[in-house]
Amino acid sequence: MNRNWTGARLARYALEQLGVSHTFGIPGVHNTELYDELASSASITPVLVTHEGGASFMADAISRTSSSIGTLLIVPAAGVTHAASGIAEAFLDGIPMLVISGGIRTDTGMHYQLHEIDQLKLVESFTKARFRVTTHQDIVPTLFEAYHCATSGEPGPVFVEIPVNLQLFTAPVEKLPRWQAPPVATALDDDLISAAAQRLAQAQRPGLFLGWGARGAFEQSRAIAEHLGAPVATTLQGLSVFPGSHPLHAGMGFGPAAVPAATQAFKDCDCMLAVGTRFAEIATGSFGSTPPANLIHIDINPAVFNVNYPAEIAIEADAAAALQAVLEKLQAASEPRAGTSVRQGLSAHKQAYKREWLAHDSRGRVNPARFFTALRERLDETAFLVADDGNHTFLAAELFENHRVGHFISPTDFNCMGYCVPAAIGVKLAHPDQQVVGIVGDGAFLMTGMEILTASTQQLGVVYCVFNDGELAQIAQAQELPYNRKTCTRLPAVEFRGIAEATGARFFKLENDEQLSSILDQALAQAAAGRPVIVDVAIDYSKKTRFTQGILATNLGRFPLGMKARLVGRALGRKLVGAPKPTQLA
């Protein structure tokens, strides 16, 4: 039966078929028809944001924490460039996203239209695929193809441009297909699976290293680790893959930038099973970690194999399917190991590291370990923690124990500041009945803090803990050793209470450890009543994380001897005589 529908109506039909729960963006002259259509949808909620960058982070969080795909509905040109940071974060982190942009009119023959740029060329380097729809008949199939591309293989964002004239005008459409997911190929190379299982069974000190790509394979990775009695390290994203409460969990990373539990557990690792990781810079502590020669690498994207570290066995496959096959062969070929010494060692090193932090003198400010301990005690098992990019990210990675798969998220390989505030809104929209806490540095908060207006409008009870030290701490710490001074990393004084008042949030000031219980209890209670909360935390950053110490030592260590001597000498000289004063060139 022919339907005489507008392009906007066809797009709404496709998104409803795909199970999209929310769209994020700002209406403009090139997409108002799409917004009008979504206002009539019974299953899709369009969400107005304050900035398209916030929209893209919200969409990212929807994809990371729910079964729905994060979807942008943005104006062309400026909307796309504003959203680019979140789209690129999704691209480098392997997060599916559907980016729908309006487009200029294609039926007038006129040029120099408002917003007229080549959007497909603009987004080419940070999207998985790009489409420009040219007919009404193509709208539904194109959106279906875009969704399939975004969610299959290694996921990523896909861009679809729908010209405004197609949105506005009607045309007969002969066939409206229903969405049906294409079958997923599950063929595995049995010889490689057997070889992997044999290597693991024969290893004396095997270990697992899990990235975001292993997020759908927790039961299999847990069973393999328990069968081998092997420690499990993760990437930063991988903190969402294997619960920190499991006795075989070692921590983020496995080299000199990892916590002592992981460094010790992997010190003599003779066979590593790495799953869903690219061995990227953050995951390896600035490439300071070296996996054993006996490396088994499983990933759905074969392009990641042998790029940074050679693999003895490389298996291109879905993580869950490959690990299930490895597990079955392991169980058939070897007896389970107790792994008692591994568990005891991990527990002892974790406890010692925590004691080290708790004993640190924070000089009247909030001790990070005491903060995360108090927060963990007050959160439900199903709570979500959303971190931004900065020093606080690695404090959370090292000191907060995530208990549920998929319940810790942060920006990773694109490493974009400003992620937390909008991303936490996306998480809360997807999980309205669960606690959501954001951990964000003061510098990152200043980038997107006004997006809390969206949380207030939607009545979302998110607690934002702003780690306030007046600096861009991660970079400021990195400046100390080589430069012995800090340039452009000290922030101007900000009254966060005023931001809370402006955005409709409740405000609390947390100044020392003695206030932890009272302030966190009040903040969580206010959030439970459906109101966003800003907690201004006078955090103590004087003690460096293992990650910061590790990457500084790694990077300095690989400098040529002469350059190393120059940097160290300059720092010592400035320490003795003071940093030079700014000079004005004639």
Side-chain angles (χ1 to χ4, degrees):
M1 179 180 73
N2 280 358
R3 291 174 173 82
N4 205 43
W5 280 4
T6 65
R9 180 68 183 88
L10 290 166
R12 169 189 153 191
Y13 168 84
L15 297 181
E16 288 173 339
Q17 284 280 304
L18 293 170
V20 170
S21 62
H22 298 81
T23 64
F24 302 95
I26 299 175
V29 295
H30 292 84
N31 65 7
T32 52
E33 193 74 12
L34 284 165
Y35 271 92
D36 186 68
E37 271 297 335
L38 290 182
S40 300
S41 176
S43 58
I44 302 173
T45 302
V47 177
L48 172 66
V49 300
T50 66
H51 191 281
E52 287 92 345
S56 57
F57 292 137
M58 292 179 202
D60 171 293
I62 288 276
S63 288
R64 292 192 199 225
T65 63
S66 78
S67 59
S68 179
I69 187 169
T71 303
L72 296 183
L73 184 53
I74 52 180
V75 296
V80 177
T81 56
H82 286 344
S85 291
I87 300 170
E89 186 71 60
F91 179 70
L92 288 190
D93 289 0
I95 308 300
M97 186 183 290
L98 200 52
V99 184
I100 302 172
S101 169
I104 63 170
R105 293 189 66 160
T106 58
D107 61 337
T108 65
M110 305 303 288
H111 292 283
Y112 307 111
Q113 295 183 47
L114 179 69
H115 296 323
E116 185 175 353
I117 61 170
D118 187 343
Q119 298 196 112
L120 271 61
K121 184 178 291 185
L122 171 67
V123 302
E124 183 177 1
S125 67
F126 54 89
T127 53
K128 194 176 176 186
R130 298 145 297 282
F131 301 92
R132 179 178 290 123
V133 181
T134 57
T135 70
H136 284 72
Q137 192 72 43
D138 291 336
I139 290 176
V140 174
T142 298
L143 287 170
F144 283 2
E145 184 179 353
Y147 176 86
H148 177 61
C149 179
T151 56
S152 61
E154 182 177 348
V158 175
F159 184 88
V160 180
E161 178 185 298
I162 305 177
V164 64
N165 50 294
L166 295 187
Q167 299 174 42
L168 288 164
F169 303 149
T170 61
V173 177
E174 296 177 5
K175 184 180 179 182
L176 276 181
R178 291 188 175 275
W179 168 251
Q180 187 171 7
V184 179
T186 56
L188 295 170
D189 188 319
D190 191 65
D191 290 340
L192 290 178
I193 295 293
S194 297
Q198 183 180 27
R199 295 290 178 88
L200 289 167
Q202 293 173 346
Q204 296 299 308
R205 291 170 295 279
L208 279 68
F209 185 49
L210 305 180
W212 179 253
R215 65 195 176 281
F218 165 63
E219 290 302 328
Q220 293 87 349
S221 57
R222 177 192 57 77
I224 289 174
E226 291 177 354
H227 184 87
L228 295 170
V232 180
T234 76
T235 65
L236 177 59
Q237 274 186 290
L239 289 167
S240 232
V241 168
F242 200 86
S245 52
H246 192 283
L248 289 172
H249 175 270
M252 183 189 78
F254 57 89
V259 293
T263 303
Q264 292 301 315
F266 282 82
K267 182 174 59 176
D268 298 315
C269 177
D270 60 349
C271 181
M272 177 177 285
L273 175 61
V275 186
T277 174
R278 307 182 185 115
F279 288 99
E281 184 166 4
I282 288 180
T284 57
S286 204
F287 308 114
S289 305
T290 304
N294 199 6
L295 173 63
I296 303 162
H297 196 176
I298 297 174
D299 204 284
I300 202 164
N301 181 4
V304 307
F305 296 141
N306 305 306
V307 174
N308 290 329
Y309 302 99
E312 192 74 22
I313 299 172
I315 302 174
E316 177 190 352
D318 170 76
L323 290 179
Q324 182 62 39
V326 169
L327 173 63
E328 291 171 2
K329 289 188 180 294
L330 261 179
Q331 291 173 331
S334 61
E335 292 297 319
R337 306 179 192 177
T340 303
S341 62
V342 173
R343 295 169 189 256
Q344 290 175 343
L346 288 169
S347 177
H349 283 295
K350 283 186 175 184
Q351 290 177 32
Y353 189 59
K354 186 174 182 179
R355 286 195 301 269
E356 176 188 318
W357 271 92
L358 293 174
H360 176 69
D361 182 5
S362 291
R363 299 183 180 181
R365 295 179 69 85
V366 177
N367 181 298
R370 295 187 186 281
F371 172 86
F372 282 113
T373 299
L375 181 64
R376 177 70 272 174
E377 290 171 351
R378 284 161 175 77
L379 292 183
D380 300 334
E381 290 291 296
T382 58
F384 287 85
L385 193 78
V386 182
D388 211 290
D389 168 47
N391 197 47
H392 63 278
T393 315
F394 304 105
L395 284 171
E398 294 184 5
L399 301 174
F400 181 80
E401 190 173 84
N402 176 52
H403 289 178
R404 289 291 182 96
V405 172
H407 286 233
F408 175 96
I409 64 171
S410 70
T412 307
D413 288 340
F414 193 66
N415 219 212
C416 192
M417 291 174 66
Y419 177 87
C420 172
V421 171
I425 292 171
V427 175
K428 191 65 175 179
L429 285 168
H431 305 274
D433 298 327
Q434 295 177 21
Q435 294 170 313
V436 178
V437 174
I439 306 296
V440 54
D442 43 4
F445 183 81
L446 292 176
M447 293 184 173
T448 53
M450 293 306 291
E451 203 66 70
I452 293 177
L453 278 168
T454 305
S456 293
T457 302
Q458 299 288 329
Q459 297 183 313
L460 303 176
V462 178
V463 176
Y464 293 104
C465 297
V466 183
F467 280 17
N468 182 4
D469 73 324
E471 294 184 343
L472 301 173
Q474 187 72 10
I475 302 304
Q477 288 186 0
Q479 289 176 328
E480 284 179 333
L481 177 62
Y483 307 122
N484 199 36
R485 66 177 175 186
K486 300 172 183 179
T487 304
C488 287
T489 50
R490 296 188 189 277
L491 298 172
V494 180
E495 181 50 71
F496 291 108
R497 183 186 302 274
I499 296 176
E501 292 175 357
T503 57
R506 284 299 309 273
F507 176 81
F508 297 96
K509 196 171 185 68
L510 177 52
E511 299 180 285
N512 53 59
D513 293 340
E514 287 68 35
Q515 297 175 334
L516 273 167
S517 298
S518 173
I519 297 296
L520 289 179
D521 286 342
Q522 292 180 72
L524 290 167
Q526 287 291 324
R531 190 171 180 181
V533 180
I534 297 173
V535 182
D536 182 354
V537 184
I539 198 70
D540 169 38
Y541 276 149
S542 63
K543 180 175 170 58
K544 292 181 177 64
T545 61
R546 285 276 295 195
F547 181 83
T548 297
Q549 295 175 54
I551 62 172
L552 286 174
T554 293
N555 283 301
L556 182 61
R558 64 166 60 104
F559 284 171
L561 184 60
M563 178 63 72
K564 193 185 305 183
R566 186 182 76 85
L567 290 173
V568 173
R570 181 177 64 182
L572 288 174
R574 288 179 179 177
K575 194 174 185 69
L576 292 172
V577 302
K581 296 285 190 289
T583 58
Q584 183 156 357
L585 297 177

